[in-house]
Amino acid sequence: MLNQRRTLLRVAAYRRVARAWPGWMPRMSFAPYQSAPRGDVLVCVFLRGAADVLNMVVPHGEAAYYSARAALAIPRPDDPRARADLRAIDLDGFFGLHPALAPLWPAWQARQLAFVHACGAPDESRSHFQAMELMERGVDSAAGPASGWLGRHLGSLSTGTRSPLRAIGLGERVPRALLGPVPAAALRSIADFHLGGDARAAEQLRGALAALYAGGDPLDTLGREALGLAELIEQLDPLGYRPAADARYPEGDFGMGLRQLAMLIKAEVGLEVACLDMGGWDTHVAQGGSQGWMAGLLAELGAGLAALHADLAAQADRLLVVVMSEFGRRVEENGGLGTDHGHGSMLLLLGGGVVGGRVYGRWPGLAPEQLVGPGDLAVTTDYRDVLGEIVARRLNNPRLAEVFPGYTPRFLEVVHQRAAVAGSSHSRRSSP
């Protein structure tokens, strides 16, 4: 009789939980909180709109760059005609950083920052929609799986965690790259976990969970761990958060997104992959050079990444940031003092596992006979070569054939091999 009554009580409690549970939160069991992932935490920043990478990491040793960009070129590091703070910051005698990316200089000096130039996808449509769609799926044609490369990575690797925060996209929707067999959450803000600030709803949910998991069987243990995770997240306050090392995140959605990621990583809630978008890079007109529209975007990007790097210095050996864009822009500036859609792009890598302080990739040159299509930087490194190496060596997933079907990545040695973690498993993940 007692068992029957308890069962009825649990059913009633379950119904209350179902009504109160946030609609966007995946229905899956939880891992013990305060358990870090067994690979790096991978943060993917996508610059939507096709960033002009030639003005981000400037080929100041290339005369053709200056011939093609009379108004937009970033002055050479030793150009006496330009103010010192408007010149490129020399990296290796040939490439230089846009001056607005100066906050990243300490990471470069620490050899935790690298670039892969003339990198990109085989697709030459120069269509934002098509290029982003193919890149996020990790394929080079419309054929193939509809899932994303990160979703397939998560689905092909068991890391021992079932956290609902294993994969998140900061924003309104889950990015295409995260679509796959493992549910990912679109997280607008940590406040979402507080049920939109509705204390009464939160208390009802907490009470229902406590009643539901009051027993002693394994399911009850998982439920109590869920309660622990919920209580931990409720303590996170992005507005009151104090970053380490006096790191200062920029104002705006991008800075707030990185700030919240730092909090989740420090809280060890089981986060493995996070995606974050930054838009506004489609600079057809009034792009600007060392100053102006794009310089403002770069300042926000550089300040945000530098703040995250400083804030998570203690966790640097398990953090890897990748910054990518769907394609690059035309070498020659246009009549509107902007740049049109191009081809070759670049990847930025930041983290303790990066073999940094280098610009990777074979430079194809910018002379007219070296360009492709209507006058674009050629792609000499497939972006999947870099991402594949990260998946294998930093995320400890050897199943590259599943992550990038039909393509075999060729490693550039851009990251160190991450040490294997005792107890990690590469077996296929069971269904939640």
Side-chain angles (χ1 to χ4, degrees):
M1 180 64 73
L2 285 176
N3 286 339
Q4 184 178 17
R5 183 172 183 274
R6 183 168 180 260
T7 299
L8 291 173
L9 288 173
R10 295 185 70 175
V11 169
Y14 181 83
R15 288 173 176 168
R16 289 199 297 275
V17 171
R19 287 195 298 268
W21 200 259
W24 49 267
M25 184 176 280
R27 267 63 172 177
M28 55 193 301
S29 56
F30 293 72
Y33 66 91
Q34 296 185 334
S35 59
R38 292 172 176 169
D40 284 1
V41 177
L42 179 63
V43 177
C44 292
V45 178
F46 207 112
L47 307 182
R48 306 281 176 180
D52 181 20
V53 298
L54 291 174
N55 270 20
M56 290 177 66
V57 174
V58 181
H60 66 76
E62 175 85 60
Y65 167 77
Y66 291 97
S67 299
R69 298 190 171 198
L72 302 186
I74 309 303
R76 292 184 175 90
D78 59 353
D79 187 343
R81 299 167 298 175
R83 280 173 23 197
D85 62 334
L86 300 181
R87 303 173 193 163
I89 303 168
D90 187 43
L91 294 175
D92 59 5
F94 185 85
F95 292 107
L97 269 184
H98 189 288
L101 292 176
L104 292 175
W105 181 245
W108 175 267
Q109 290 183 305
R111 298 188 179 279
Q112 294 187 357
L113 172 66
F115 304 94
V116 184
H117 223 320
C119 181
D123 174 68
E124 293 194 37
S125 67
R126 294 168 179 80
S127 158
H128 295 298
F129 177 80
Q130 179 169 318
M132 285 190 288
E133 195 252 345
L134 293 177
M135 185 170 276
E136 292 193 90
R137 288 171 55 210
V139 298
D140 51 21
S141 72
S147 55
W149 69 276
L150 285 171
R152 293 193 296 275
H153 153 66
L154 293 167
S156 61
L157 177 70
S158 172
T159 58
T161 176
R162 300 174 298 274
S163 170
L165 293 178
R166 191 179 173 197
I168 64 171
L170 270 294
E172 298 290 332
R173 294 183 298 178
V174 174
R176 184 67 179 267
L178 285 175
L179 295 184
V182 174
L187 179 66
R188 289 166 296 182
S189 72
I190 286 178
D192 284 348
F193 280 90
H194 304 171
L195 297 185
D198 187 338
R200 183 178 178 182
E203 186 58 35
Q204 287 178 340
L205 176 61
R206 193 162 36 245
L209 281 170
L212 180 61
Y213 296 120
D217 58 39
L219 183 61
D220 294 328
T221 301
L222 293 174
R224 287 193 293 274
E225 290 168 351
L227 276 171
L229 178 62
E231 290 170 359
L232 174 68
I233 293 175
E234 282 187 9
Q235 297 170 17
L236 302 180
D237 175 16
L239 297 179
Y241 172 63
R242 291 188 176 182
D246 293 326
R248 295 187 178 183
Y249 292 93
E251 298 292 331
D253 291 344
F254 182 66
M256 179 55 76
L258 292 177
R259 171 190 288 259
Q260 293 182 101
L261 286 181
M263 295 178 68
L264 293 173
I265 291 170
K266 289 182 180 179
E268 297 189 347
V269 295
L271 179 65
E272 296 178 36
V273 176
C275 292
L276 185 63
D277 288 349
M278 186 176 179
W281 300 90
D282 199 10
T283 51
H284 285 285
V285 296
Q287 175 176 309
S290 298
Q291 297 173 302
W293 173 8
M294 184 175 166
L297 291 171
L298 290 174
E300 184 178 359
L301 175 68
L305 296 179
L308 185 72
H309 181 254
D311 190 11
L312 295 180
Q315 293 84 15
D317 63 342
R318 59 184 182 89
L319 171 70
L320 205 148
V321 180
V322 177
V323 180
M324 58 201 299
S325 196
E326 63 264 38
F327 48 74
R329 304 196 76 81
R330 193 74 35 84
V331 174
E332 186 171 12
E333 64 191 27
N334 62 30
L337 297 183
T339 51
D340 297 322
H341 296 181
H343 185 47
S345 186
M346 180 193 71
L347 291 186
L348 180 157
L349 309 178
L350 176 68
V354 176
V355 184
R358 292 181 58 185
V359 179
Y360 292 87
R362 182 176 65 80
W363 183 245
L366 297 180
E369 67 276 13
Q370 295 169 317
L371 304 180
V372 299
D376 300 338
L377 176 69
V379 170
T380 60
T381 300
D382 191 298
Y383 73 103
R384 292 168 292 187
D385 293 338
V386 182
L387 300 183
E389 184 177 341
I390 291 170
V391 169
R393 293 185 170 174
R394 300 304 303 178
L395 306 186
N396 288 330
N397 186 354
R399 298 180 181 273
L400 296 185
E402 295 182 40
V403 179
F404 299 108
Y407 185 79
T408 303
R410 297 175 286 272
F411 295 173
L412 277 68
E413 312 296 333
V414 294
V415 294
H416 299 286
Q417 174 66 59
R418 195 181 202 280
V421 176
S424 65
S425 170
H426 296 310
S427 61
R428 184 178 294 278
R429 182 182 184 279
S430 58
S431 300

